[in-house]
Every structure is written in structure tokens, then in C-alpha cells.
Amino acid sequence: MSAAPGCAPAPSRAGDAAIATDAPAGTASILVFTRTEGFRHDSIPTAIATLRSLADDIGADILQTEDPAVFSEDILRTHDVVVFANTTGPILDPAQRAAFERWLAGGGAFVGVHSAADTAYDWPFYGELVGAWFASHPPGLQRAQVRFEHDAVEAAFGPWVVEDELYNYRRNPRPHVDVIATLQARTDDGGTMGDDHPIAWCHDRLGGRAWYTGLGHDEAIYADPVFRAHLLAGLRYVLGTAERCDELPSTPTIMSR
């Protein structure tokens, strides 16, 4: 989400977290990066807590920071996945970007949550990685039905109605990615993408697996069991423990309502 007129961007919090690289041997390591150089989401602490909980469910280790110094060859190679969780703005310098590109080309993996698409507009590689950049959204929260593209997933989890900040994107990512879910039956008139409005997708075009969801603005959505299953599916896909990127797990821990 871009900063609204009259709303000053929150200051960056780089350096708040230690650069930890000591995950136990053999444990998958997920680096969660939450630096903001634009609008800062109040839901970031909840996003971090949710990702930690989901990582625990699959036996992975979460290391969270806002220090861009983690984007070095030596540190990135200790992590299997990098998550941009509600990042905004130009958060990495050229050397850090180059290190990240090499790491991804070598088999690293990426997850983007919500305003990961409102990040690094001057970095063409990142635009291809995230799949589509943010263009606009109506004021406040919007309500819509999310339809999963895979019929079996839709049959198991639909109809899923969400209330969140629903992005319009600068391009339709469908020609470049595998779409997981689209928006339908919106109750507002702020959608600009027509009848085909992807909201989550994946791809592996740049050397490593990438997964993105446009949901995750509002703190309340992190308590939604389907959203939690959706996020867990993304983590499992990028870690290579699920072949399909839309294979939502249905377990008592995740899906209890």
C-alpha cells in the first residue's frame, strides 16, 4: 500500500533485529524481511507471529530482521527462503540486490506477502520475481470472494469470502505466472482489472521457486484459517515439500474454525 496523501511514511526500522544465522543443522531456514521505506502496516507483528507459528508446524526455523545487511552472499546462503512480509519502498542497495539475485538463481526461494508488490519499483528483476507491482486500491477495506483456480481446492475451501485491502496491479500477471486464486463478487466498485483479477500466484522462472499473495494487509485476516492454510501452502511449495503451489493443507491445527 502506498502512503496516502497527508500520511507521512513511517521511518525505517533497519537494525532492530539481530542478524541471526545459527539455525540448527538440517533445519530449513526462512528469513522474514519486514523493512519499510514507505507505508508501514500495523499488521507486520501479526504477520511475523503467524509465519513463526506456521514454520513451527512444518519444522522450519524463522529468522526475522529489518537489517538489509542480511542480503550478502555469506548470510543468504544460510537461508532456504526469503519472505518479504509487507515490505515497502526501495529497501535494498545495488550490492544487496545483486547478492539476492545470485542467491535466487542458485536455487533460493521467495515468498511475497501483500505490499511486497509495493516494493522496489526501480528493480526490474524484482518486478519479475514478485509477478506484478501494485497500482491502486480503494480506500479502506474491501470485501470479495476469493476463488481458487484448482477445482479440488475450491471444492474443499470455497466459497472463501475475505475482507482486506484488495490491490489492483499494474499488469495482469497471468501470462507470466501460475495463478492460484482470483477475486470475484466484489462488493465495491474499486476494481480496475476486469473479470480476471489474480490475487495469488507462483512461478519458478528465475531459478528458484516464488510465491505471492496479495492478501495480508489487515491484522484480522491472519486469524482466518483459510488464509493461514494459504500461507502454509506457499511456505511448503517454496521449501520443496509440496509440488503444487496451491496445495492447501487441511489439518486440525491449521483449519480448526
Side-chain angles (χ1 to χ4, degrees), residues 45-68:
T46 303
I48 295 168
T50 301
L51 290 165
R52 286 192 188 281
S53 175
L54 298 177
D56 285 346
D57 287 339
I58 55 176
D61 189 64
I62 285 277
L63 305 171
Q64 182 270 330
T65 186
E66 301 200 354
D67 190 341

Side-chain angles (χ1 to χ4, degrees), residues 3-22:
C7 179
S12 170
R13 302 184 185 182
D16 282 2
I19 303 173
T21 60
D22 55 352

Side-chain angles (χ1 to χ4, degrees), residues 235-254:
L235 293 177
R236 292 177 68 235
Y237 169 71
V238 297
L239 285 168
T241 60
E243 191 58 34
R244 279 191 8 227
C245 64
D246 62 350
E247 190 176 344
L248 272 66
S250 181
T251 67
T253 300
I254 299 302

Side-chain angles (χ1 to χ4, degrees), residues 28-240:
S29 180
I30 301 170
L31 175 66
V32 177
F33 194 52
T34 54
R35 188 180 187 192
T36 55
E37 289 292 340
F39 182 88
R40 187 170 184 86
H41 286 78
D42 293 339
S43 61
I44 286 176
T46 303
I48 295 168
T50 301
L51 290 165
R52 286 192 188 281
S53 175
L54 298 177
D56 285 346
D57 287 339
I58 55 176
D61 189 64
I62 285 277
L63 305 171
Q64 182 270 330
T65 186
E66 301 200 354
D67 190 341
V70 298
F71 288 84
S72 70
E73 303 279 358
D74 289 343
I75 295 175
L76 284 172
R77 70 186 178 194
T78 68
H79 300 291
D80 301 289
V81 176
V82 169
V83 180
F84 279 23
N86 279 334
T87 52
T88 53
I91 51 179
L92 300 178
D93 69 22
Q96 292 157 357
R97 293 178 177 187
F100 181 65
E101 290 183 23
R102 288 191 293 270
W103 171 82
L104 193 86
F110 171 80
V111 168
V113 177
H114 189 58
S115 65
D118 189 19
T119 298
Y121 292 100
D122 61 339
W123 185 8
F125 173 90
Y126 182 76
E128 292 303 313
L129 177 63
V130 77
W133 273 308
F134 162 82
S136 65
H137 63 77
L141 301 181
Q142 299 82 50
R143 188 174 176 86
Q145 181 175 324
V146 177
R147 190 191 188 288
F148 293 105
E149 296 265 305
H150 194 284
D151 289 342
V153 176
E154 176 63 17
F157 292 89
W160 182 30
V161 176
V162 300
E163 186 173 38
D164 202 13
E165 184 179 80
L166 303 178
Y167 278 0
N168 301 305
Y169 296 96
R170 294 188 179 188
R171 71 179 185 184
N172 187 319
R174 188 177 292 275
H176 315 282
V177 300
D178 294 319
V179 173
I180 298 168
T182 56
L183 296 180
Q184 298 183 343
R186 293 180 65 143
T187 59
D188 66 281
D189 60 0
T192 64
M193 296 182 65
D195 292 336
D196 184 25
H197 189 150
I199 196 63
W201 53 79
C202 67
H203 68 87
D204 59 1
R205 295 183 297 110
L206 300 177
R209 292 183 170 193
W211 186 96
Y212 170 81
T213 181
L215 303 171
H217 166 87
D218 190 48
E219 184 175 3
I221 199 170
Y222 291 90
D224 184 314
V226 181
F227 183 61
R228 292 173 66 87
H230 177 55
L231 284 177
L232 184 57
L235 293 177
R236 292 177 68 235
Y237 169 71
V238 297
L239 285 168

